[in-house]
Amino acid sequence: MAPPRKAAAARPVSRSQRPTGVEVGLVALLFLAVSLAAFALDFPPLIPAPEAFRARRERFLAKLPPHSIAILRSAPERLMSNDTDYLYRPDSDFYYLTGIEEPDTTAVLRNDPADGKRYLLFVRPRDPRRESYEGSRPGPQGAPAQYGSDAAFADSELANRLASWDPVSYRFSGYLAEAERLYLWDGNDGAWAEKFRKTYQGVRDRDAGPAEAVDARDVIHEMRVVKDEEEIRFLRRAAQVSARGHVLAMRAAAPGKWEFEVQQALDGYCSANGARRMAYPSIVGSGPNSTFLHWDKNNRQIQAGDVIVNDSGAEYGYYATDITRTYPASGHFSPEQRAIYEIVLDAQTQAMSLVKPGVRHEEIEQKSARVQTDGLIHLGLLSGDVERLLKEKTYRKFTLHGVSHWVGLDVHDKGKYEIAGASRVLEAGMVFTIEPGIYIPANTAGVDPKWWNIGVRIEDTILVTKDAMECLSCAAPREIEEVEKTVGRK
């Protein structure tokens, strides 16, 4: 950086040059207006619809055989350091069926209960002291009204209500004793899982209750592949907020700035519009860091001529989005950067053009691989027969990763990509990424140094519609001219 210029000697200001009270007031109002605009809420908060969770529970129970019980646990709180926890996030599968954001909660679902109570909750009891720190809890008394359950109890009552042994009749009673099939997910709460194991083993030792525990996630994950309208509402919002943030990040990028400054322009905007967290650690890689897929240190000072890869997406209402944009720090791509960018953009555009119901998921990968391989051959970075290169996946020397994954409550969402050994057929309501990329680190063997330190990835979150597709995140600039114009607009 150039040394600072020597300050000019101060000169007295004449009375006529001094601002009047009116002028000072106008400046203050202007400053206030700019400040308010900077913190304006562009996207009013979305509130989850309770009926959506109720509908999912009913669909889930309908998929289970008669006389089934499902027991699902919320995620535990996680220690970050000393006595400070991470910001709490419920387990995705638990949240998908319940909409509950509270730890130490167990949901019990039964598809044909004798008492007619299909949805039961076991929650933390009221605790005035803890609530004075954390805010009020519904407790067992308030949980049915707040969460839509048929009944609710203190979490400490779970074991006895699942199974109670009568020494007179030598029989078990309780929810487990009445069921023939158990679907279980412990929410990765190891302590709770061990307590439940002892309860369940005590029932099985007397040859009572379901003979085995089946992983409830197998059913839930298949449900999560096709999104309902409520999920799409939140996925669309996550993409909208993130795309707007990417525009601000582009405008913040410049030689001399730090990667974390570009990150904050995006992350801060998402936070200011209702995103409690990002869907994954934001990636801002400049220059040599652009060639690392998951660079998240974001601690390098950006240099003139760098290309920047920004892979960032907000989590909104627990729904993720996944967006990557690549742009030149100086406002214009070099000829080499532009050539690589054109290949990646063409691969994404052609892959997008295939998306519609009935197309197999693998066709997206295949189209992108072919376009990128053809482009790399044209630039002299690969040589040989394109069919052989595709068969041997030689293109992976530069492309490194697959081109698509599901998106939903997790950024790499749950769900199978193959059914009965064949690539899955796309259906309306599926949401996934299309994210081709080419990465050429410094000192890549056999590659002219003019190509070194160029990483390009373009990624968008795509919704399959009834007839074709909707790009949820394409409000963030992708075309070269638009990208350069946005970066240059300071």
Side-chain angles (χ1 to χ4, degrees):
M1 295 176 66
R5 290 184 296 177
K6 185 177 180 180
R11 292 184 299 175
V13 178
S14 68
R15 183 178 298 273
S16 62
Q17 291 175 309
R18 293 172 186 168
T20 66
V22 173
E23 289 170 330
V24 170
L26 289 173
V27 170
L29 287 173
L30 178 60
F31 179 79
L32 178 60
V34 170
S35 299
L36 290 174
F39 293 95
L41 185 65
D42 293 331
F43 298 93
L46 297 183
I47 307 300
E51 58 270 20
F53 299 103
R54 187 182 310 114
R56 288 175 207 155
R57 290 192 295 270
E58 290 303 316
R59 283 171 47 220
F60 171 74
L61 287 170
K63 293 178 180 294
L64 308 186
H67 312 303
S68 290
I69 183 172
I71 302 174
L72 308 170
R73 179 68 172 175
S74 63
E77 294 176 295
R78 304 287 187 186
L79 183 68
M80 186 173 72
S81 67
N82 194 21
D83 59 353
T84 302
D85 290 334
Y86 285 101
L87 178 65
Y88 183 72
R89 188 191 190 284
D91 173 76
S92 294
D93 295 311
F94 179 84
Y95 181 80
Y96 178 77
L97 292 180
T98 67
I100 297 174
E101 304 172 82
E102 187 177 343
D104 298 324
T105 304
T106 303
V108 175
L109 295 96
R110 303 182 291 168
N111 55 5
D112 51 5
D115 61 6
K117 296 177 179 178
R118 294 163 64 83
Y119 179 36
L120 307 165
L121 289 175
F122 293 81
V123 302
R124 298 180 297 178
R126 298 296 305 273
D127 182 337
R129 183 175 182 277
R130 292 305 306 171
E131 290 178 58
S132 69
Y133 283 82
E134 302 168 354
S136 62
R137 304 173 180 176
Q141 298 79 15
Q146 184 164 330
Y147 299 134
S149 64
D150 296 318
F153 310 94
D155 194 37
S156 58
E157 295 185 42
L158 178 64
N160 285 336
R161 289 189 176 273
L162 287 177
S164 181
W165 175 252
D166 185 344
V168 177
S169 65
Y170 291 95
R171 287 187 176 183
F172 270 108
S173 60
Y175 305 141
L176 280 176
E178 300 167 4
E180 296 177 2
R181 187 84 165 173
L182 168 61
Y183 290 80
L184 179 68
W185 170 230
D186 61 23
N188 284 317
D189 187 335
W192 180 90
E194 179 58 24
K195 291 180 182 178
F196 178 83
R197 186 193 66 77
K198 292 178 179 178
T199 298
Y200 179 57
Q201 190 59 50
V203 175
R204 292 305 305 147
D205 286 346
R206 289 181 167 86
D207 199 29
E212 63 176 335
V214 178
D215 194 334
R217 293 175 297 171
D218 291 342
V219 179
I220 301 171
H221 290 175
E222 186 61 21
M223 291 176 62
R224 285 173 55 185
V225 173
V226 177
K227 273 58 180 178
D228 58 40
E229 287 302 317
E230 178 72 353
E231 293 184 280
I232 292 170
R233 187 167 72 105
F234 278 84
L235 285 162
R236 185 174 282 118
R237 174 59 58 82
Q240 290 170 332
V241 170
S242 301
R244 188 79 63 87
H246 271 277
V247 172
L248 297 179
M250 288 181 182
R251 293 176 181 170
K257 291 289 190 72
W258 293 80
E259 291 169 341
F260 57 74
E261 292 183 88
V262 176
Q263 174 190 351
Q264 185 55 34
L266 195 156
D267 291 9
Y269 178 81
C270 293
S271 177
N273 279 274
R276 288 277 282 155
R277 59 173 66 78
M278 302 305 285
Y280 50 95
S282 293
I283 298 163
V284 181
S286 62
N289 297 339
S290 69
T291 66
F292 303 136
L293 301 188
H294 286 171
W295 172 263
D296 59 10
K297 295 181 177 67
N298 302 345
N299 59 3
R300 178 178 178 272
Q301 191 171 28
I302 299 166
Q303 305 299 311
D306 282 350
V307 68
I308 300 169
V309 172
N310 186 342
D311 185 343
S312 307
E315 179 186 279
Y316 193 98
Y318 302 114
Y319 282 87
T321 198
D322 201 352
I323 307 172
T324 305
R325 289 295 182 265
T326 302
Y327 35 94
S330 299
H332 293 280
F333 289 108
S334 71
E336 290 76 23
Q337 293 168 352
R338 186 183 185 102
I340 298 296
Y341 192 97
E342 286 175 338
I343 293 172
V344 175
L345 180 59
D346 190 28
Q348 191 199 39
T349 300
Q350 291 202 41
M352 282 183 179
S353 70
L354 297 179
V355 178
K356 63 181 180 180
V359 171
R360 293 194 178 275
H361 186 264
E362 68 179 1
E363 295 180 51
I364 297 167
E365 176 84 34
Q366 292 167 350
K367 173 60 74 173
S368 177
R370 180 173 292 278
V371 173
Q372 291 191 98
T373 301
D374 283 337
L376 290 167
I377 291 172
H378 178 74
L379 296 181
L381 292 166
L382 288 177
S383 61
D385 176 67
V386 65
E387 300 300 334
R388 179 181 62 81
L389 295 175
L390 287 168
K391 182 178 180 180
E392 297 175 0
K393 296 189 175 181
T394 309
Y395 59 90
R396 282 295 181 95
K397 175 182 179 181
F398 298 108
T399 63
L400 301 181
H401 57 79
V403 77
S404 179
H405 60 78
W406 306 127
V407 178
L409 281 167
D410 298 298
V411 66
H412 293 160
D413 211 31
K414 303 299 184 181
K416 297 178 180 178
Y417 293 90
E418 293 187 352
I419 302 294
S423 177
R424 189 160 201 153
V425 173
L426 299 182
E427 303 174 44
M430 290 181 172
V431 177
F432 52 85
T433 63
I434 298 182
E435 51 175 309
I438 294 175
Y439 313 89
I440 310 174
N443 303 309
T444 301
V447 174
D448 190 315
K450 71 180 183 179
W451 300 106
W452 291 357
N453 292 326
I454 298 177
V456 175
R457 179 165 65 253
I458 308 172
E459 177 180 21
D460 283 288
T461 302
I462 306 299
L463 166 67
V464 183
T465 62
K466 184 177 68 173
D467 301 313
M469 70 94 183
E470 175 187 348
C471 180
L472 299 179
S473 55
C474 281
R478 295 164 56 241
E479 299 295 334
I480 288 177
E481 292 74 15
E482 189 180 2
V483 168
E484 291 182 336
K485 181 179 180 181
T486 304
V487 174
R489 187 184 301 153
K490 303 303 183 190

